[in-house]
Amino acid sequence: MDYNILVVDDDIGNRESIRMILKDYYNVSIIDNGKDAVELIKKENFHLVILDIIMPGMDGIEVLRKIKEINPNLKIIIVTATKKKDFADEIDILGVSGWIDKPFDVNEVRKVVKDILEKDI
Amino acid sequence: MELTLQKTQLKSDILLRKFTKVIPHISDLDKFLKLVIDLIANTFKLSRATLVLLDEQTGKSVVRVSTILKDEKNSDMELRTVESEVTWLTDHKRILYKGEIREIQQITDLNLTLFEELKSPELNMYVPLMVNDKIIGMLGIGDKLNNETFTSEDLRLMSMMTDYLAVIIDHAFFHKAMFNQKEHHRNILDNITCGTITIDTEGKVTTFNRSAESILGFKSHHVLGKNVQMIQGNLANLILDTLRTGKVYRREEIHILPENILLGVSTSRLYNANGEITGAAMVFANLLEIKHAEKEIRRKGRNMFWNRLADSLSHEIKNSLSTAKTFLQLYPEKLNDLEFKEKFHNLTLQNIEKLDAFVDKINKFAQPLDKNFSEIDIHEIIDDVLFSIFKEKNPKNIIFVRNYAKDLPNIMGSYTQLQEVFGNLILNSIEAMPEGGTLTITTELSKGSSILNEKSVFLSDSRLLVDCNNNYLIVSIADTGVGIPKEDISKIFEPFFSIKKGRASLGLAIVSKIVENHNGFIKVESEIGEGSNFVIHFPVE
């Protein structure tokens, strides 16, 4: 099955890295801000969103909250450089499928994404 | 005749003897007045006697106490003003008789209505209560119960009584005022958080307030009147030294063991109005409490700083590392992926440069700033900065307005440092207007005093830096951007604080450091959704 993944990160290096890691296996779209991400999720059908938690403008938590309003079942992976400690409670309450730590490890990213996508929808 | 004289003598003796018994009750003024009026009424067998005292606060007279010996209603006890009567008595300084009222009212505009108002039973005369030619009240006298007329001896006795009465009441008021004043001072002493001890010239404790009790663990009733030595050796020595030598201690630190209390103590000698030494006073506060509180604030501040530093460093470094790591890890499998090779080669390089710049920024922030100042034309620097921003960033949808004052004096400063100040502030303003807007740069010259009069918010203690006598060159950089949340305004100049979350933000911290290096200060006005105004003040020498 073809999976559609959206990567939301304001840092070009990060979003290109994730796209490059996953592009041979999935359809990966990238976007650099939360506001446009939310609009895109309303319009298109994604199976997974990989979301940087710290972004200028609409930050990751806000984006997460909006996504949950639009589609509570959409799977979400949080990208963080600070080991979950920030916003951990809020994120837990809103519910996410997994975490990816920076700097990325290619194999780990692929495994986390694969595991999450292949779990029953 | 002999008999009458003896009778009168007896009456005055009895009156004086009884009056002497009444005087000790002066501490309770209301009781005293009641006793006096009863005494007067009984001595002269009056149908009624009324004492009216002038209220010092309102300047109006009120009926303080009234006695009716006949079986009458006490309907006249309510307070009323009797200004006209007081005015007349003050002017004439003698008894006012009821019979004269009509005549007086015909020739003056005085409204002597108290006689009429107090009808049951009627008053016949008012005897003034005077102290040093000042009326403090009056004694209203009704008919005698046996309807006899007042003899001249009665009137003489009555006048003598009122003279004594006036002096006593005046003193009573004075003492009451003193007592209130003392109570007031005691209240203050008991409620201030500093321990306060005073001693007399013999070293005996005369004041020991509530805070002194709680700090030193003594009860005041154990200490008052005792030698101060019993309190605590070091403390006692300090105040006794001040008493003996006049030496004033200021915030002297005294460590009290074994309770482990550190006190900051100040002392001074006490003098009376004649300049004679009456004792010494000592004020002290528990420094350990204060020091603990300060330490806690510093610790919290340090923790917050390290938290922010750690967050910023991880964000910057790990972002950069992510790209490099991905590039290296994917390299073997994507040898032939042209997009990968081109894109990641560039991205990795960019990230390394970014990291390099970030480290530079931290280093720069940590370095002390030089004071190699030269004369500077502020407009030249701002225009320079604007020019390079236009060249490099070419900001879209932003209108630039320059409101430059004419004939601004030059200031002493560092060209490169100030370039950085305006570069940072202008770039921030542009970033705050992602949808476009207006950036207005205004310069003006202003007096320190008029800066203080303005309403806008001063950052931390910068209000204290304003020298009212100095002129200030003011540069304000105003945008119509997103604005800064109120709770963040005081923090934006702290290193690594950012409202652009996750960005290593040293920009404004550097700005503030440079402005301080120029002995200037910054004010910020901001409204969410309306924009921000950064106002920088440079002193003009």
Side-chain angles (χ1 to χ4, degrees), chain A residues 11 14 16 19-20 23-24 54 59 85 102-106 110, chain B residues 311 318-319 322 325 329-330 333-334 337 339-340 343-344 354 501-502:
Chain A
D11 186 280
N14 285 338
E16 285 295 349
R19 189 173 75 90
M20 211 45 82
K23 72 167 188 171
D24 293 345
I54 296 166
D59 72 27
K85 76 169 196 262
K102 283 187 257 186
F104 308 131
D105 181 86
V106 170
R110 282 176 180 162
Chain B
D311 280 352
K318 291 201 173 185
N319 268 354
S322 262
K325 191 170 169 189
Q329 278 192 317
L330 288 179
E333 68 177 80
K334 295 205 183 293
D337 187 331
E339 190 205 1
F340 168 78
K343 210 169 230 168
F344 270 72
K354 225 165 80 181
K501 286 188 179 126

PDB file of all heavy atoms in Angstrom, chain A residues 11 14 16 19-20 23-24 54 59 85 102-106 110, chain B residues 311 318-319 322 325 329-330 333-334 337 339-340 343-344 354 501-502:
ATOM      1  N   ASP A  11      12.882  23.900   9.679  1.00  0.00           N
ATOM      2  CA  ASP A  11      14.292  23.814   9.316  1.00  0.00           C
ATOM      3  C   ASP A  11      14.440  22.971   8.058  1.00  0.00           C
ATOM      4  O   ASP A  11      14.080  21.785   8.032  1.00  0.00           O
ATOM      5  CB  ASP A  11      15.083  23.185  10.471  1.00  0.00           C
ATOM      6  CG  ASP A  11      16.576  23.196  10.205  1.00  0.00           C
ATOM      7  OD1 ASP A  11      17.051  22.307   9.454  1.00  0.00           O
ATOM      8  OD2 ASP A  11      17.249  24.099  10.726  1.00  0.00           O
ATOM      9  N   ASN A  14      16.275  19.616   8.312  1.00  0.00           N
ATOM     10  CA  ASN A  14      15.504  18.555   8.954  1.00  0.00           C
ATOM     11  C   ASN A  14      14.461  17.962   8.026  1.00  0.00           C
ATOM     12  O   ASN A  14      14.332  16.745   7.902  1.00  0.00           O
ATOM     13  CB  ASN A  14      14.794  19.087  10.201  1.00  0.00           C
ATOM     14  CG  ASN A  14      15.761  19.278  11.354  1.00  0.00           C
ATOM     15  OD1 ASN A  14      16.834  18.667  11.374  1.00  0.00           O
ATOM     16  ND2 ASN A  14      15.391  20.131  12.284  1.00  0.00           N
ATOM     17  N   GLU A  16      14.228  18.084   4.768  1.00  0.00           N
ATOM     18  CA  GLU A  16      14.832  17.403   3.610  1.00  0.00           C
ATOM     19  C   GLU A  16      15.462  16.079   4.040  1.00  0.00           C
ATOM     20  O   GLU A  16      15.421  15.100   3.301  1.00  0.00           O
ATOM     21  CB  GLU A  16      15.886  18.302   2.952  1.00  0.00           C
ATOM     22  CG  GLU A  16      15.296  19.456   2.132  1.00  0.00           C
ATOM     23  CD  GLU A  16      14.502  18.991   0.902  1.00  0.00           C
ATOM     24  OE1 GLU A  16      14.566  17.797   0.538  1.00  0.00           O
ATOM     25  OE2 GLU A  16      13.792  19.838   0.325  1.00  0.00           O
ATOM     26  N   ARG A  19      12.689  13.585   4.444  1.00  0.00           N
ATOM     27  CA  ARG A  19      12.181  13.216   3.121  1.00  0.00           C
ATOM     28  C   ARG A  19      13.162  12.260   2.423  1.00  0.00           C
ATOM     29  O   ARG A  19      12.764  11.241   1.866  1.00  0.00           O
ATOM     30  CB  ARG A  19      11.985  14.472   2.262  1.00  0.00           C
ATOM     31  CG  ARG A  19      11.262  14.200   0.944  1.00  0.00           C
ATOM     32  CD  ARG A  19      10.947  15.490   0.217  1.00  0.00           C
ATOM     33  NE  ARG A  19      12.132  16.079  -0.400  1.00  0.00           N
ATOM     34  CZ  ARG A  19      12.535  15.796  -1.647  1.00  0.00           C
ATOM     35  NH1 ARG A  19      11.831  14.966  -2.406  1.00  0.00           N
ATOM     36  NH2 ARG A  19      13.608  16.350  -2.136  1.00  0.00           N
ATOM     37  N   MET A  20      14.442  12.611   2.516  1.00  0.00           N
ATOM     38  CA  MET A  20      15.460  11.802   1.848  1.00  0.00           C
ATOM     39  C   MET A  20      15.515  10.392   2.436  1.00  0.00           C
ATOM     40  O   MET A  20      15.687   9.412   1.711  1.00  0.00           O
ATOM     41  CB  MET A  20      16.813  12.513   2.010  1.00  0.00           C
ATOM     42  CG  MET A  20      17.806  12.307   0.881  1.00  0.00           C
ATOM     43  SD  MET A  20      17.126  12.469  -0.775  1.00  0.00           S
ATOM     44  CE  MET A  20      17.148  14.237  -1.001  1.00  0.00           C
ATOM     45  N   LYS A  23      11.936   8.754   1.240  1.00  0.00           N
ATOM     46  CA  LYS A  23      11.318   8.961  -0.081  1.00  0.00           C
ATOM     47  C   LYS A  23      11.292   7.703  -0.952  1.00  0.00           C
ATOM     48  O   LYS A  23      10.447   7.578  -1.829  1.00  0.00           O
ATOM     49  CB  LYS A  23      11.989  10.127  -0.813  1.00  0.00           C
ATOM     50  CG  LYS A  23      13.378   9.837  -1.321  1.00  0.00           C
ATOM     51  CD  LYS A  23      13.817  10.937  -2.300  1.00  0.00           C
ATOM     52  CE  LYS A  23      15.128  10.500  -2.933  1.00  0.00           C
ATOM     53  NZ  LYS A  23      15.542  11.352  -4.025  1.00  0.00           N
ATOM     54  N   ASP A  24      12.186   6.752  -0.701  1.00  0.00           N
ATOM     55  CA  ASP A  24      12.190   5.534  -1.516  1.00  0.00           C
ATOM     56  C   ASP A  24      11.068   4.578  -1.127  1.00  0.00           C
ATOM     57  O   ASP A  24      10.764   3.635  -1.848  1.00  0.00           O
ATOM     58  CB  ASP A  24      13.536   4.805  -1.373  1.00  0.00           C
ATOM     59  CG  ASP A  24      14.671   5.612  -1.992  1.00  0.00           C
ATOM     60  OD1 ASP A  24      14.355   6.566  -2.758  1.00  0.00           O
ATOM     61  OD2 ASP A  24      15.839   5.318  -1.687  1.00  0.00           O
ATOM     62  N   ILE A  54       8.943  22.284  17.846  1.00  0.00           N
ATOM     63  CA  ILE A  54       9.327  23.675  18.084  1.00  0.00           C
ATOM     64  C   ILE A  54       9.455  24.433  16.770  1.00  0.00           C
ATOM     65  O   ILE A  54      10.376  24.216  15.995  1.00  0.00           O
ATOM     66  CB  ILE A  54      10.658  23.742  18.871  1.00  0.00           C
ATOM     67  CG1 ILE A  54      10.448  23.117  20.258  1.00  0.00           C
ATOM     68  CG2 ILE A  54      11.131  25.174  19.026  1.00  0.00           C
ATOM     69  CD1 ILE A  54      11.723  22.824  20.974  1.00  0.00           C
ATOM     70  N   ASP A  59       3.164  26.878  16.785  1.00  0.00           N
ATOM     71  CA  ASP A  59       4.126  25.848  17.173  1.00  0.00           C
ATOM     72  C   ASP A  59       3.514  24.449  17.116  1.00  0.00           C
ATOM     73  O   ASP A  59       2.321  24.277  16.862  1.00  0.00           O
ATOM     74  CB  ASP A  59       4.766  26.152  18.530  1.00  0.00           C
ATOM     75  CG  ASP A  59       3.808  25.942  19.688  1.00  0.00           C
ATOM     76  OD1 ASP A  59       2.871  25.124  19.554  1.00  0.00           O
ATOM     77  OD2 ASP A  59       3.988  26.600  20.720  1.00  0.00           O
ATOM     78  N   LYS A  85      11.112  16.206  26.820  1.00  0.00           N
ATOM     79  CA  LYS A  85      10.799  16.815  28.111  1.00  0.00           C
ATOM     80  C   LYS A  85       9.839  18.013  27.995  1.00  0.00           C
ATOM     81  O   LYS A  85       8.998  18.206  28.849  1.00  0.00           O
ATOM     82  CB  LYS A  85      12.074  17.191  28.862  1.00  0.00           C
ATOM     83  CG  LYS A  85      12.769  18.416  28.360  1.00  0.00           C
ATOM     84  CD  LYS A  85      13.847  18.829  29.364  1.00  0.00           C
ATOM     85  CE  LYS A  85      14.271  20.230  29.079  1.00  0.00           C
ATOM     86  NZ  LYS A  85      15.404  20.510  28.354  1.00  0.00           N
ATOM     87  N   LYS A 102      16.434  14.111  17.430  1.00  0.00           N
ATOM     88  CA  LYS A 102      17.494  14.682  16.595  1.00  0.00           C
ATOM     89  C   LYS A 102      18.823  14.473  17.312  1.00  0.00           C
ATOM     90  O   LYS A 102      18.848  14.534  18.543  1.00  0.00           O
ATOM     91  CB  LYS A 102      17.249  16.186  16.407  1.00  0.00           C
ATOM     92  CG  LYS A 102      16.157  16.492  15.389  1.00  0.00           C
ATOM     93  CD  LYS A 102      16.092  17.982  15.126  1.00  0.00           C
ATOM     94  CE  LYS A 102      14.912  18.600  15.852  1.00  0.00           C
ATOM     95  NZ  LYS A 102      14.682  20.009  15.547  1.00  0.00           N
ATOM     96  N   PRO A 103      19.944  14.276  16.672  1.00  0.00           N
ATOM     97  CA  PRO A 103      20.035  14.098  15.208  1.00  0.00           C
ATOM     98  C   PRO A 103      19.464  12.737  14.783  1.00  0.00           C
ATOM     99  O   PRO A 103      19.569  11.770  15.518  1.00  0.00           O
ATOM    100  CB  PRO A 103      21.551  14.160  14.955  1.00  0.00           C
ATOM    101  CG  PRO A 103      22.193  13.833  16.269  1.00  0.00           C
ATOM    102  CD  PRO A 103      21.245  14.225  17.338  1.00  0.00           C
ATOM    103  N   PHE A 104      18.884  12.718  13.568  1.00  0.00           N
ATOM    104  CA  PHE A 104      18.192  11.502  13.124  1.00  0.00           C
ATOM    105  C   PHE A 104      19.156  10.362  12.893  1.00  0.00           C
ATOM    106  O   PHE A 104      20.267  10.549  12.425  1.00  0.00           O
ATOM    107  CB  PHE A 104      17.452  11.771  11.799  1.00  0.00           C
ATOM    108  CG  PHE A 104      16.576  12.979  11.866  1.00  0.00           C
ATOM    109  CD1 PHE A 104      16.645  13.946  10.875  1.00  0.00           C
ATOM    110  CD2 PHE A 104      15.679  13.152  12.912  1.00  0.00           C
ATOM    111  CE1 PHE A 104      15.830  15.057  10.930  1.00  0.00           C
ATOM    112  CE2 PHE A 104      14.870  14.266  12.963  1.00  0.00           C
ATOM    113  CZ  PHE A 104      14.942  15.222  11.967  1.00  0.00           C
ATOM    114  N   ASP A 105      18.655   9.175  13.177  1.00  0.00           N
ATOM    115  CA  ASP A 105      19.359   7.969  12.767  1.00  0.00           C
ATOM    116  C   ASP A 105      18.514   7.333  11.676  1.00  0.00           C
ATOM    117  O   ASP A 105      17.341   7.030  11.883  1.00  0.00           O
ATOM    118  CB  ASP A 105      19.508   7.008  13.950  1.00  0.00           C
ATOM    119  CG  ASP A 105      20.260   5.763  13.540  1.00  0.00           C
ATOM    120  OD1 ASP A 105      21.496   5.801  13.594  1.00  0.00           O
ATOM    121  OD2 ASP A 105      19.599   4.780  13.147  1.00  0.00           O
ATOM    122  N   VAL A 106      19.109   7.175  10.494  1.00  0.00           N
ATOM    123  CA  VAL A 106      18.364   6.740   9.309  1.00  0.00           C
ATOM    124  C   VAL A 106      17.570   5.464   9.595  1.00  0.00           C
ATOM    125  O   VAL A 106      16.368   5.387   9.322  1.00  0.00           O
ATOM    126  CB  VAL A 106      19.333   6.525   8.118  1.00  0.00           C
ATOM    127  CG1 VAL A 106      18.614   5.839   6.957  1.00  0.00           C
ATOM    128  CG2 VAL A 106      19.906   7.864   7.667  1.00  0.00           C
ATOM    129  N   ARG A 110      13.399   5.020   9.859  1.00  0.00           N
ATOM    130  CA  ARG A 110      12.679   4.096   8.961  1.00  0.00           C
ATOM    131  C   ARG A 110      11.882   3.067   9.755  1.00  0.00           C
ATOM    132  O   ARG A 110      10.749   2.753   9.423  1.00  0.00           O
ATOM    133  CB  ARG A 110      13.670   3.389   8.032  1.00  0.00           C
ATOM    134  CG  ARG A 110      14.118   4.298   6.889  1.00  0.00           C
ATOM    135  CD  ARG A 110      15.175   3.639   6.029  1.00  0.00           C
ATOM    136  NE  ARG A 110      15.572   4.552   4.952  1.00  0.00           N
ATOM    137  CZ  ARG A 110      16.696   4.428   4.260  1.00  0.00           C
ATOM    138  NH1 ARG A 110      17.544   3.441   4.524  1.00  0.00           N
ATOM    139  NH2 ARG A 110      16.973   5.277   3.298  1.00  0.00           N
TER     140      ARG A 110
ATOM    141  N   ASP B 311      18.427  24.374  26.070  1.00  0.00           N
ATOM    142  CA  ASP B 311      17.433  24.247  25.005  1.00  0.00           C
ATOM    143  C   ASP B 311      17.953  24.822  23.697  1.00  0.00           C
ATOM    144  O   ASP B 311      17.839  24.218  22.627  1.00  0.00           O
ATOM    145  CB  ASP B 311      16.145  24.985  25.390  1.00  0.00           C
ATOM    146  CG  ASP B 311      15.310  24.145  26.333  1.00  0.00           C
ATOM    147  OD1 ASP B 311      15.662  22.969  26.532  1.00  0.00           O
ATOM    148  OD2 ASP B 311      14.312  24.670  26.863  1.00  0.00           O
ATOM    149  N   LYS B 318      21.740  20.225  17.351  1.00  0.00           N
ATOM    150  CA  LYS B 318      21.144  18.978  16.859  1.00  0.00           C
ATOM    151  C   LYS B 318      20.505  19.148  15.487  1.00  0.00           C
ATOM    152  O   LYS B 318      20.529  18.220  14.679  1.00  0.00           O
ATOM    153  CB  LYS B 318      20.138  18.441  17.873  1.00  0.00           C
ATOM    154  CG  LYS B 318      20.853  17.952  19.132  1.00  0.00           C
ATOM    155  CD  LYS B 318      20.025  16.985  19.912  1.00  0.00           C
ATOM    156  CE  LYS B 318      20.864  16.418  21.047  1.00  0.00           C
ATOM    157  NZ  LYS B 318      20.171  15.382  21.782  1.00  0.00           N
ATOM    158  N   ASN B 319      19.937  20.313  15.204  1.00  0.00           N
ATOM    159  CA  ASN B 319      19.421  20.564  13.859  1.00  0.00           C
ATOM    160  C   ASN B 319      20.544  20.428  12.838  1.00  0.00           C
ATOM    161  O   ASN B 319      20.396  19.781  11.805  1.00  0.00           O
ATOM    162  CB  ASN B 319      18.823  21.970  13.760  1.00  0.00           C
ATOM    163  CG  ASN B 319      17.333  21.958  14.061  1.00  0.00           C
ATOM    164  OD1 ASN B 319      16.738  20.893  14.233  1.00  0.00           O
ATOM    165  ND2 ASN B 319      16.744  23.125  14.133  1.00  0.00           N
ATOM    166  N   SER B 322      21.775  16.839  12.558  1.00  0.00           N
ATOM    167  CA  SER B 322      20.801  15.965  11.889  1.00  0.00           C
ATOM    168  C   SER B 322      21.079  15.886  10.402  1.00  0.00           C
ATOM    169  O   SER B 322      21.108  14.809   9.808  1.00  0.00           O
ATOM    170  CB  SER B 322      19.389  16.503  12.092  1.00  0.00           C
ATOM    171  OG  SER B 322      18.792  15.815  13.147  1.00  0.00           O
ATOM    172  N   LYS B 325      24.427  14.133   9.735  1.00  0.00           N
ATOM    173  CA  LYS B 325      24.350  12.693  10.013  1.00  0.00           C
ATOM    174  C   LYS B 325      23.553  11.974   8.915  1.00  0.00           C
ATOM    175  O   LYS B 325      23.950  10.909   8.440  1.00  0.00           O
ATOM    176  CB  LYS B 325      23.691  12.478  11.379  1.00  0.00           C
ATOM    177  CG  LYS B 325      23.802  11.047  11.879  1.00  0.00           C
ATOM    178  CD  LYS B 325      23.346  10.952  13.324  1.00  0.00           C
ATOM    179  CE  LYS B 325      23.199   9.495  13.742  1.00  0.00           C
ATOM    180  NZ  LYS B 325      22.556   9.376  15.049  1.00  0.00           N
ATOM    181  N   GLN B 329      24.975   9.086   6.608  1.00  0.00           N
ATOM    182  CA  GLN B 329      24.359   7.750   6.691  1.00  0.00           C
ATOM    183  C   GLN B 329      23.764   7.314   5.354  1.00  0.00           C
ATOM    184  O   GLN B 329      23.809   6.142   4.998  1.00  0.00           O
ATOM    185  CB  GLN B 329      23.264   7.742   7.760  1.00  0.00           C
ATOM    186  CG  GLN B 329      23.817   7.560   9.171  1.00  0.00           C
ATOM    187  CD  GLN B 329      22.717   7.261  10.169  1.00  0.00           C
ATOM    188  OE1 GLN B 329      21.662   7.889  10.113  1.00  0.00           O
ATOM    189  NE2 GLN B 329      22.969   6.321  11.066  1.00  0.00           N
ATOM    190  N   LEU B 330      23.193   8.283   4.625  1.00  0.00           N
ATOM    191  CA  LEU B 330      22.535   7.915   3.367  1.00  0.00           C
ATOM    192  C   LEU B 330      23.525   7.846   2.204  1.00  0.00           C
ATOM    193  O   LEU B 330      23.202   7.328   1.135  1.00  0.00           O
ATOM    194  CB  LEU B 330      21.430   8.925   3.035  1.00  0.00           C
ATOM    195  CG  LEU B 330      20.159   8.876   3.898  1.00  0.00           C
ATOM    196  CD1 LEU B 330      19.178   9.959   3.454  1.00  0.00           C
ATOM    197  CD2 LEU B 330      19.479   7.501   3.811  1.00  0.00           C
ATOM    198  N   GLU B 333      24.065   4.499   0.176  1.00  0.00           N
ATOM    199  CA  GLU B 333      22.936   3.969  -0.615  1.00  0.00           C
ATOM    200  C   GLU B 333      22.450   4.946  -1.678  1.00  0.00           C
ATOM    201  O   GLU B 333      21.740   4.568  -2.594  1.00  0.00           O
ATOM    202  CB  GLU B 333      21.773   3.572   0.317  1.00  0.00           C
ATOM    203  CG  GLU B 333      21.106   4.744   1.010  1.00  0.00           C
ATOM    204  CD  GLU B 333      19.912   4.311   1.854  1.00  0.00           C
ATOM    205  OE1 GLU B 333      20.118   3.828   3.002  1.00  0.00           O
ATOM    206  OE2 GLU B 333      18.779   4.453   1.338  1.00  0.00           O
ATOM    207  N   LYS B 334      22.815   6.231  -1.562  1.00  0.00           N
ATOM    208  CA  LYS B 334      22.296   7.206  -2.521  1.00  0.00           C
ATOM    209  C   LYS B 334      23.404   7.827  -3.367  1.00  0.00           C
ATOM    210  O   LYS B 334      23.318   8.982  -3.788  1.00  0.00           O
ATOM    211  CB  LYS B 334      21.528   8.308  -1.767  1.00  0.00           C
ATOM    212  CG  LYS B 334      20.279   7.774  -1.061  1.00  0.00           C
ATOM    213  CD  LYS B 334      19.249   8.862  -0.860  1.00  0.00           C
ATOM    214  CE  LYS B 334      18.054   8.340  -0.110  1.00  0.00           C
ATOM    215  NZ  LYS B 334      17.260   7.348  -0.876  1.00  0.00           N
ATOM    216  N   ASP B 337      22.034   9.123  -6.467  1.00  0.00           N
ATOM    217  CA  ASP B 337      20.863  10.017  -6.384  1.00  0.00           C
ATOM    218  C   ASP B 337      21.349  11.453  -6.530  1.00  0.00           C
ATOM    219  O   ASP B 337      21.936  12.043  -5.624  1.00  0.00           O
ATOM    220  CB  ASP B 337      20.171   9.802  -5.037  1.00  0.00           C
ATOM    221  CG  ASP B 337      18.861  10.565  -4.925  1.00  0.00           C
ATOM    222  OD1 ASP B 337      18.756  11.642  -5.574  1.00  0.00           O
ATOM    223  OD2 ASP B 337      17.963  10.108  -4.197  1.00  0.00           O
ATOM    224  N   GLU B 339      19.724  14.315  -6.836  1.00  0.00           N
ATOM    225  CA  GLU B 339      19.060  15.298  -5.968  1.00  0.00           C
ATOM    226  C   GLU B 339      19.694  15.290  -4.583  1.00  0.00           C
ATOM    227  O   GLU B 339      19.980  16.322  -3.996  1.00  0.00           O
ATOM    228  CB  GLU B 339      17.560  14.978  -5.850  1.00  0.00           C
ATOM    229  CG  GLU B 339      16.781  16.083  -5.158  1.00  0.00           C
ATOM    230  CD  GLU B 339      15.500  15.576  -4.496  1.00  0.00           C
ATOM    231  OE1 GLU B 339      15.216  14.367  -4.541  1.00  0.00           O
ATOM    232  OE2 GLU B 339      14.806  16.419  -3.904  1.00  0.00           O
ATOM    233  N   PHE B 340      19.915  14.054  -4.092  1.00  0.00           N
ATOM    234  CA  PHE B 340      20.514  13.897  -2.762  1.00  0.00           C
ATOM    235  C   PHE B 340      21.882  14.554  -2.709  1.00  0.00           C
ATOM    236  O   PHE B 340      22.190  15.330  -1.815  1.00  0.00           O
ATOM    237  CB  PHE B 340      20.626  12.400  -2.428  1.00  0.00           C
ATOM    238  CG  PHE B 340      21.472  12.109  -1.221  1.00  0.00           C
ATOM    239  CD1 PHE B 340      20.965  12.299   0.057  1.00  0.00           C
ATOM    240  CD2 PHE B 340      22.790  11.671  -1.358  1.00  0.00           C
ATOM    241  CE1 PHE B 340      21.751  12.035   1.172  1.00  0.00           C
ATOM    242  CE2 PHE B 340      23.573  11.413  -0.247  1.00  0.00           C
ATOM    243  CZ  PHE B 340      23.056  11.595   1.020  1.00  0.00           C
ATOM    244  N   LYS B 343      21.619  18.530  -3.138  1.00  0.00           N
ATOM    245  CA  LYS B 343      20.918  19.183  -2.051  1.00  0.00           C
ATOM    246  C   LYS B 343      21.662  19.044  -0.725  1.00  0.00           C
ATOM    247  O   LYS B 343      21.845  20.007   0.006  1.00  0.00           O
ATOM    248  CB  LYS B 343      19.515  18.580  -1.916  1.00  0.00           C
ATOM    249  CG  LYS B 343      18.506  19.576  -1.395  1.00  0.00           C
ATOM    250  CD  LYS B 343      17.112  19.038  -1.526  1.00  0.00           C
ATOM    251  CE  LYS B 343      16.203  20.060  -2.191  1.00  0.00           C
ATOM    252  NZ  LYS B 343      14.925  19.484  -2.592  1.00  0.00           N
ATOM    253  N   PHE B 344      22.096  17.825  -0.436  1.00  0.00           N
ATOM    254  CA  PHE B 344      22.679  17.599   0.886  1.00  0.00           C
ATOM    255  C   PHE B 344      24.092  18.101   1.039  1.00  0.00           C
ATOM    256  O   PHE B 344      24.522  18.444   2.135  1.00  0.00           O
ATOM    257  CB  PHE B 344      22.551  16.117   1.294  1.00  0.00           C
ATOM    258  CG  PHE B 344      21.265  15.891   2.029  1.00  0.00           C
ATOM    259  CD1 PHE B 344      20.064  15.928   1.342  1.00  0.00           C
ATOM    260  CD2 PHE B 344      21.253  15.740   3.401  1.00  0.00           C
ATOM    261  CE1 PHE B 344      18.878  15.789   2.015  1.00  0.00           C
ATOM    262  CE2 PHE B 344      20.060  15.604   4.089  1.00  0.00           C
ATOM    263  CZ  PHE B 344      18.862  15.622   3.394  1.00  0.00           C
ATOM    264  N   LYS B 354      26.064  27.683   9.775  1.00  0.00           N
ATOM    265  CA  LYS B 354      25.105  28.205  10.752  1.00  0.00           C
ATOM    266  C   LYS B 354      25.596  27.959  12.183  1.00  0.00           C
ATOM    267  O   LYS B 354      25.539  28.833  13.050  1.00  0.00           O
ATOM    268  CB  LYS B 354      23.743  27.508  10.559  1.00  0.00           C
ATOM    269  CG  LYS B 354      22.564  28.451  10.593  1.00  0.00           C
ATOM    270  CD  LYS B 354      21.305  27.813  10.054  1.00  0.00           C
ATOM    271  CE  LYS B 354      20.628  26.924  11.072  1.00  0.00           C
ATOM    272  NZ  LYS B 354      19.416  26.279  10.524  1.00  0.00           N
ATOM    273  N   LYS B 501       9.960  30.601  19.247  1.00  0.00           N
ATOM    274  CA  LYS B 501      10.365  29.445  20.037  1.00  0.00           C
ATOM    275  C   LYS B 501      11.463  28.633  19.386  1.00  0.00           C
ATOM    276  O   LYS B 501      11.452  28.373  18.210  1.00  0.00           O
ATOM    277  CB  LYS B 501       9.153  28.559  20.321  1.00  0.00           C
ATOM    278  CG  LYS B 501       8.274  29.199  21.361  1.00  0.00           C
ATOM    279  CD  LYS B 501       7.200  28.255  21.792  1.00  0.00           C
ATOM    280  CE  LYS B 501       6.359  28.929  22.856  1.00  0.00           C
ATOM    281  NZ  LYS B 501       4.954  28.917  22.524  1.00  0.00           N
ATOM    282  N   GLY B 502      12.419  28.242  20.216  1.00  0.00           N
ATOM    283  CA  GLY B 502      13.442  27.334  19.750  1.00  0.00           C
ATOM    284  C   GLY B 502      14.597  27.998  19.032  1.00  0.00           C
ATOM    285  O   GLY B 502      15.582  27.354  18.740  1.00  0.00           O
TER     286      GLY B 502
END
